[in-house]
Amino acid sequence: MKIAVLAGDGIGPEIITQGVRVLTALKSDGLKIELESGLLGGCAVDSAADPFPEVTCKLVNEADAVLLGAVGGPQYDALPRSKRPEQGLLRIRKALNLFANLRPAILYPELANASTLKPEVVAGLDIMIVRELTGDIYFGEPRGIEQRDNQRVGYNTMIYSETEIRRIAHVAFQTARKRNRKLCSVDKMNVLECTQLWRDVVTETANEYPDVTLSHMLVDNAAMQLIRDPKQFDVMVTGNMFGDILSDEASMLTGSIGMLPSASLDQNNKGLFEPSHGSAPDIAGKNVANPLATILSVAMMLRYTFNQEEAALRIENSVKKVLSKNYRTRDIFGQGMTLVGTIEMGDAVLEAL
Ligand code: NAD
């Protein structure tokens, strides 16, 4: 298992260090893991004047999976767009053809009070949102703002080919198979032809997965149901724009951004694994960042790229154990809990592991 490790900026190096400690522990238990570090984002701009240098491109192409911290920081905001750290993210996703974004929203019972919703609505929540990442209205042509009849008009194109829909549908059905075998596909077929095709192709693909129960939901209803009764969902699949919005909504149900991992996969389940949060420059270098989203991203890597379910569960159970022992970083801290820093949280996970 060749893993490229890109710590990035801000809290990136701190949280990645804890993720690497977990991988190193698994390696000493016998998993054949090779780690190699590289630069992405602001740190790459500083040293190579490019947020995604050629050497990093080579490293990630040769690796089986990538573990990423986060990129960005206020010191880079004034740079030309091509030099900004976030361009590194877009380019690495493109270079690796990562079309499937998997974002779980899990609320551990111990953290039920962190959500803004009533504990009985969200406690034990465990949803996976599968978002198509490289198509849809975000990339569709033609697009632009132009002058028509003496006024400015803005326009974009919502477009999906059946090949694009089918490949993300397969990822979603296979993901459902690794969970509770329930898949809800989200579209807006009552208004948009593009999403009528989405519904047709997802329905056709379902024939290959008779063991998975497929349902469909319109996106406006899905947004409402996520707040009303989120536990009705297991896996949801949707296009790039709807997925952008729904995955943020779902992650906020949990109230704790420092807890949420994510995976972006290509056709062969090679993937980039990273916490859902950013580089948090406001808390960088202070040993207060929560490393659990990164550690849980390592678990996703073992499950989705390497098919090491047992090792993935071991990590996830260790995180649960640490939470049940009431260890908390500042972002998830509450009365009666034990406040720990980034490193101490890593220590606790390793001990549980
Ligand atoms: P952010 O996610 O970095 O931070 C939002 C808030 O959450 C901050 O108060 C931060 O302290 C807190 N937070 C985030 N992660 C945390 C953790 N692990 N533990 C405890 N608290 C945590 O979002 P932002 O402030 O909007 O963006 C900061 C920078 O990150 C920007 O440069 C942005 O472009 C970049 N960014 C990068 C990614 C990525 O690398 N994938 C994603 C989003 C934002």
Side-chain angles (χ1 to χ4, degrees):
M1 304 175 206
K2 275 178 85 173
I3 302 169
V5 179
L6 311 176
D9 311 313
I11 58 171
E14 294 168 74
I15 53 177
I16 279 292
T17 300
Q18 304 312 316
V20 166
R21 286 177 76 194
V22 168
L23 281 168
T24 309
L26 293 174
K27 185 175 176 180
S28 59
D29 281 354
L31 282 191
K32 293 194 165 52
I33 292 171
E34 273 176 50
L35 301 169
E36 198 169 333
S37 301
L39 297 174
L40 182 85
C43 57
V45 173
D46 291 340
S47 78
D50 182 353
F52 183 47
E54 194 52 44
V55 38
T56 303
C57 186
K58 186 165 180 289
L59 173 71
V60 299
N61 269 311
E62 286 169 2
D64 301 312
V66 181
L67 181 65
L68 170 66
V71 302
Q75 67 271 44
Y76 305 109
D77 285 350
L79 291 175
R81 193 161 291 276
S82 66
K83 296 274 185 217
R84 294 215 195 131
E86 292 76 9
Q87 283 299 314
L89 271 185
L90 295 181
R91 283 168 57 197
I92 192 173
R93 285 179 187 150
K94 197 160 180 217
L96 296 179
N97 200 13
L98 304 172
F99 68 91
N101 185 221
L102 271 59
R103 267 176 71 172
I106 298 172
L107 184 55
Y108 297 95
E110 294 84 359
L111 299 180
N113 287 326
S115 174
T116 49
L117 295 193
K118 290 186 195 126
E120 63 266 29
V121 177
V122 286
L125 177 77
D126 185 352
I127 310 177
M128 177 72 79
I129 301 216
V130 178
R131 167 188 172 195
E132 202 288 329
L133 206 55
T134 53
D136 203 353
I137 195 163
Y138 291 178
F139 295 91
E141 299 282 348
R143 60 196 294 153
I145 301 175
E146 64 189 32
Q147 204 75 18
R148 289 186 199 166
D149 300 330
N150 292 326
Q151 64 167 338
R152 285 172 301 162
V153 173
Y155 56 97
N156 289 88
T157 304
M158 180 179 251
I159 182 164
Y160 266 122
S161 69
E162 59 179 319
T163 310
E164 286 174 306
I165 302 169
R166 199 167 288 117
R167 69 177 183 176
I168 191 76
H170 279 297
V171 172
F173 279 108
Q174 281 159 21
T175 304
R177 268 192 175 160
K178 289 183 175 167
R179 298 170 45 102
N180 294 321
R181 296 171 186 255
K182 265 174 61 184
L183 176 64
C184 178
S185 172
V186 176
D187 60 47
K188 187 73 182 167
M189 58 75 88
N190 53 343
V191 184
L192 299 168
E193 287 80 359
C194 177
T195 71
Q196 174 68 60
L197 179 68
W198 177 281
R199 188 174 288 210
D200 294 346
V201 175
V202 172
T203 305
E204 288 158 24
T205 311
N207 293 332
E208 295 174 51
Y209 301 89
D211 52 325
V212 176
T213 307
L214 172 68
S215 61
H216 301 275
M217 198 176 275
L218 297 176
V219 64
D220 39 350
N221 188 25
M224 193 172 72
Q225 294 299 332
L226 269 175
I227 301 292
R228 196 186 70 82
D229 178 20
K231 284 192 266 181
Q232 69 183 281
F233 297 110
D234 177 22
V235 180
M236 300 174 91
V237 63
T238 190
N240 203 346
M241 181 167 63
F242 297 159
D244 190 1
I245 300 165
L246 292 182
S247 62
D248 265 20
E249 185 190 2
S251 68
M252 276 301 107
L253 293 174
T254 71
S256 49
I257 196 164
M259 294 295 305
L260 298 171
S262 80
S264 303
L265 304 175
D266 78 359
Q267 197 81 46
N268 305 310
N269 288 335
K270 172 172 175 170
L272 174 94
F273 299 83
E274 58 180 327
S276 294
H277 58 74
S279 58
D282 52 330
I283 56 167
K286 296 182 180 160
N287 192 41
V288 298
N290 186 346
L292 294 180
T294 308
I295 289 172
L296 291 167
S297 300
V298 171
M300 285 191 89
M301 172 188 289
L302 290 164
R303 172 173 296 121
Y304 288 101
T305 294
F306 298 121
N307 261 315
Q308 296 280 344
E309 181 63 23
E310 200 182 317
L313 279 175
R314 237 182 108 191
I315 296 174
E316 288 163 353
N317 287 334
S318 303
V319 169
K320 283 184 195 156
K321 201 161 167 189
V322 165
L323 293 174
S324 70
K325 283 186 171 171
N326 292 340
Y327 291 119
R328 300 285 188 273
T329 44
R330 205 173 65 180
D331 55 308
I332 51 173
F333 183 69
Q335 246 190 355
M337 303 290 142
T338 307
L339 182 64
V340 294
T342 313
I343 298 169
E344 295 70 31
M345 188 57 110
D347 293 344
V349 173
L350 279 180
E351 198 186 310
L353 198 71

